[in-house]
Amino acid sequence: MNFLFFFIEDGLGIVAKLSECISSRGGNILSVDVFVPENKNVFYSRSEFVFDLNRWPRAEMDADFLKLSKLFNATRSVVRVPSFDRNYKVAILASKQDHCLVDLLHGWQSARLPLDVTCVISNHERGPNTHVMRFLERHRIPYHYLPTSKGNPRDGEVLDLVRDTDFLVLARYMQILSGEFLESYGKDIINIHHGLLPSFKGSYPSKQAYDAGVKMIGATSHFVTEELDAGPIIEQMVERVSHRDNLQSFVQKSENLEKQCLAKAIKSYCELRVLPFEKGKTVVF
Amino acid sequence: MNFLFFFIEDGLGIVAKLSECISSRGGNILSVDVFVPENKNVFYSRSEFVFDLNRWPRAEMDADFLKLSKLFNATRSVVRVPSFDRNYKVAILASKQDHCLVDLLHGWQSARLPLDVTCVISNHERGPNTHVMRFLERHRIPYHYLPTSKGNPRDGEVLDLVRDTDFLVLARYMQILSGEFLESYGKDIINIHHGLLPSFKGSYPSKQAYDAGVKMIGATSHFVTEELDAGPIIEQMVERVSHRDNLQSFVQKSENLEKQCLAKAIKSYCELRVLPFEKGKTVVF
Amino acid sequence: MNFLFFFIEDGLGIVAKLSECISSRGGNILSVDVFVPENKNVFYSRSEFVFDLNRWPRAEMDADFLKLSKLFNATRSVVRVPSFDRNYKVAILASKQDHCLVDLLHGWQSARLPLDVTCVISNHERGPNTHVMRFLERHRIPYHYLPTSKGNPRDGEVLDLVRDTDFLVLARYMQILSGEFLESYGKDIINIHHGLLPSFKGSYPSKQAYDAGVKMIGATSHFVTEELDAGPIIEQMVERVSHRDNLQSFVQKSENLEKQCLAKAIKSYCELRVLPFEKGKTVVF
Amino acid sequence: MNFLFFFIEDGLGIVAKLSECISSRGGNILSVDVFVPENKNVFYSRSEFVFDLNRWPRAEMDADFLKLSKLFNATRSVVRVPSFDRNYKVAILASKQDHCLVDLLHGWQSARLPLDVTCVISNHERGPNTHVMRFLERHRIPYHYLPTSKGNPRDGEVLDLVRDTDFLVLARYMQILSGEFLESYGKDIINIHHGLLPSFKGSYPSKQAYDAGVKMIGATSHFVTEELDAGPIIEQMVERVSHRDNLQSFVQKSENLEKQCLAKAIKSYCELRVLPFEKGKTVVF
């Protein structure tokens, strides 16, 4: 399956031209989602179509779409087409809590997630006999233990390790990445926050929620920006709590939500369903 | 807003032609949903677009779309465009339970549902001072009391009363409509069943569910076919129950679900989001 | 059915004595919920039991329970027993938005909620032919139009109108009640906030949520305290939103949640299921 | 924590005596759930209390509770108290699909579930390098490959392997256990059915659901009885599906629900929250 994501600031006739282009190359459209926000001059489209690589080589497809975007005199156009020959290269950053890390590794192994895990980076050391370390060893995935401290975030070392990735996943990574890192890395970083943003930003959101006496708790998956826990939200999931839940069960319920929420966000992202929208928001087809 | 629903058995190039047609007439597409089931030769599309009636009168639009469907040598094509000048004319059939009927009447009154209630037909008599009767009197909606019995379903009289409608709603109407009626009426009939189909067809689904010891109950909205409670499902909603729920609370929870489920199905239907799919199923955009 | 709510700071042997007392008077316990928070010296219990008023008159029951609480040398004990001969007298305060008000009035009328609506107070004027006004007129419920302004909250007049109630409901009442009012009234006030607290306090929570790009929105029912939107939470309900939801559908979805959330909180409150817990939280049996 | 489950057919004064007994032995009650179904003569109670083993040895506790149940001239009383020194010994039966099996093994390993997995029995052979086999080898849990066929269910061999367990878990085990096996084994067996019972019993429930055009699918955890997929339901979970879900995604969504539903049922069961109720139902505190 192939995807085309067009973000063009001119809506007139685009769906027509897009489809005509695909058809003329022998492609067959399987699904199209088009979204034009009210009163705006932007246009989001995601098409799934099948085609014959022999009839429409990648280089020609790139050229065709580039021509199309120029045709519309677009001030800004972005075309994303997934690669066909490899999965997404991703590095996973984690700290002490490993429920999300483990779920992602299993998701990778069972091909539930279309990833290529290049390495795991952690500021927490794990013994060689732990499930994670044995798993990584068996699958020859490097584990980089980079202990950090207040004056030594070691961003530069992390950057060197992840330059070659398509995106990063912060799986309960408790170290804040600096603005310089974000700028240098330049690609997307997906984080899981164990609270229902914008409530309970920062540390110990489960304790914050417990003290606030809420009756619903949640997890949020979002893109990382320089402001902590404030980047565009991709996915959120919730669960009920009551007075019978103590802090421990708040945490257990939260961990279950975090795993599902992060995996879902990553899956949507890899399927090119997630697009930046307005200021600080996302379209998720 | 205007909708176009195309169901054509030939997927090649259609999205292109469709969009081109709309654009050429000065229309602007706001959203498109396209769904092509795997391995099938059918194609579902729903577009929302705005246009200027002066530039593209209704008669010409009809002609344009007819030409398009012929162009594809479609064996079967259906075009539905909502009317712009009136709501859907609908008759509501109810029996003794009136929670769905009341919710629909309020939905009509507050314009939450795009309906024109032509009349209410019931095999149960209501006193003049009941909320329903006063409401109908104030809004000048006829109430037809048609008591039925085993040998006397009075289908013919119902048919005479509803010929002029766009579709029918069975809001907990406990009389079964005959195959002849369905054939003569010929248009869509939406029913609410107070059980999560295909579980608990027929009478007293709440009691059936209660006796089965289920932990989830639900309501189902579906198109009426000759087979009881077996027509294509449009919408389903569920809620948890436990040992602490007695039969009365099963019923209360069910009534809450029925209201929401039926209203949602009707809303989707009126917005042309509901399409027949394969055998006995629906696409709901 | 009768309820007993005991809140005593001494857990030892209480369930035993309580039950023994009820049994000795010929009562039969139908259900008991006991909750003792970890590491605390408080004890919450809610019992449902049936008994014969002739055998155990109200005055004697009161005396028996008073004796019991003294027996435990309780520093603080609260006994609440619902009245058997009348519903809860409640005044509803509303502003322009009437979806919650209408739902409560219907709930009262259909006996879905065990209330006695003494009056409706609003800082918004309603025409005589509106559904609300006709409903109130038919059921002889007074409607007090009290327009407020920054320097003139008219708390005193509200107080005079509601002195005789058991509790108050703020059904999307957009005027803030002063600390003096809360102190003078002294009884419980339940509010519905159209946001998932503690997110989006204050005005326009739907717009705040829309701008924040959340994927879940919610409503919160809580007790009113002097701090705005910060009192102990009783109930919360959520629904998913996506990029396809504009501000209008955020509001529509929110209104649906508000109705259900407020009604549920009021029902729980009237059934004596809601108890203050720790600082700013509730136990809801 | 300790639990007491009393099922006595005489409700009068029991809560009192029970609590008094616990208090007199120096125990402190932390929570009590009592449920007395309407119009019935049965009584369910679950108490959590802490006590000092030195002050109240297990043998004396057993004697005290026995005396209590005799005191009430109970026709039928069942007392269950969990063991304090070991987890529940359980054998897991699985076939080819291993998502539930893997989730249970991880749950056991992380102590998320209070189990002692004695062995895994399967009618499907697994290669030595698969995740399951390596996991079992590392943790020294025997894997018994027992291929079955129509005339050879090999119940007897299964029985020999599981005699020593507290209960059994069928984690997508596709072989039907005979009535003789159920009788001989005599203890509880928990099964996960990948359909929302009573809909879609038997084989391929995902395909059945897909063909039925439902909009909600679910999983059901229940006790095994001689009738296939008809034993008392313990837990059910649901998820939405639409026309965009093909059979593969029906199955994926179902697998996710099955894991969660089975784990939750087992956890509730181990915490003595699950009690037989009426005919074919359960109380789940």
Side-chain angles (χ1 to χ4, degrees), chain D residues 42-106:
Chain D
V42 298
F43 167 97
Y44 297 84
S45 153
R46 176 182 183 276
S47 304
E48 285 190 33
F49 55 92
V50 287
F51 67 99
D52 182 350
L53 251 180
N54 295 320
R55 240 184 108 177
W56 199 9
R58 182 59 192 264
E60 290 185 36
M61 181 188 289
D62 288 344
D64 286 334
F65 290 151
L66 185 58
K67 206 162 38 171
L68 258 181
S69 56
K70 284 191 172 149
L71 187 68
F72 293 116
N73 217 10
T75 47
R76 207 173 106 71
S77 86
V78 174
V79 179
R80 296 186 200 177
V81 186
S83 64
F84 317 128
D85 43 14
R86 63 175 181 80
N87 285 319
Y88 282 87
K89 289 168 71 170
V90 60
I92 305 176
L93 283 69
S95 292
K96 181 174 175 191
Q97 297 303 323
D98 66 9
H99 52 282
C100 286
L101 170 62
V102 168
D103 185 70
L104 291 180
L105 292 175
H106 289 161

Side-chain angles (χ1 to χ4, degrees), chain B residues 38 199 210 240 246 281, chain D residues 38 199 210 235-236 246 281:
Chain B
E38 295 176 350
S199 287
Y210 182 73
R240 282 196 167 276
N246 56 15
K281 297 158 66 166
Chain D
E38 295 176 352
S199 288
Y210 181 73
E235 173 67 54
Q236 295 185 293
N246 55 16
K281 296 158 67 164

Side-chain angles (χ1 to χ4, degrees), chain C residues 42-105:
Chain C
V42 298
F43 167 97
Y44 297 84
S45 154
R46 177 182 183 275
S47 305
E48 284 191 33
F49 56 90
V50 287
F51 67 98
D52 180 352
L53 251 179
N54 294 320
R55 241 184 109 177
W56 198 10
R58 180 61 192 261
E60 290 182 38
M61 179 187 292
D62 288 344
D64 287 334
F65 289 150
L66 185 58
K67 207 162 37 171
L68 259 180
S69 56
K70 287 196 171 140
L71 187 69
F72 294 115
N73 216 12
T75 47
R76 207 173 106 70
S77 87
V78 175
V79 180
R80 296 187 200 176
V81 185
S83 64
F84 318 127
D85 43 13
R86 61 173 182 80
N87 284 320
Y88 281 86
K89 289 168 71 171
V90 60
I92 306 175
L93 282 70
S95 293
K96 181 174 177 192
Q97 297 303 325
D98 66 9
H99 52 283
C100 287
L101 171 61
V102 168
D103 185 71
L104 291 180
L105 291 176

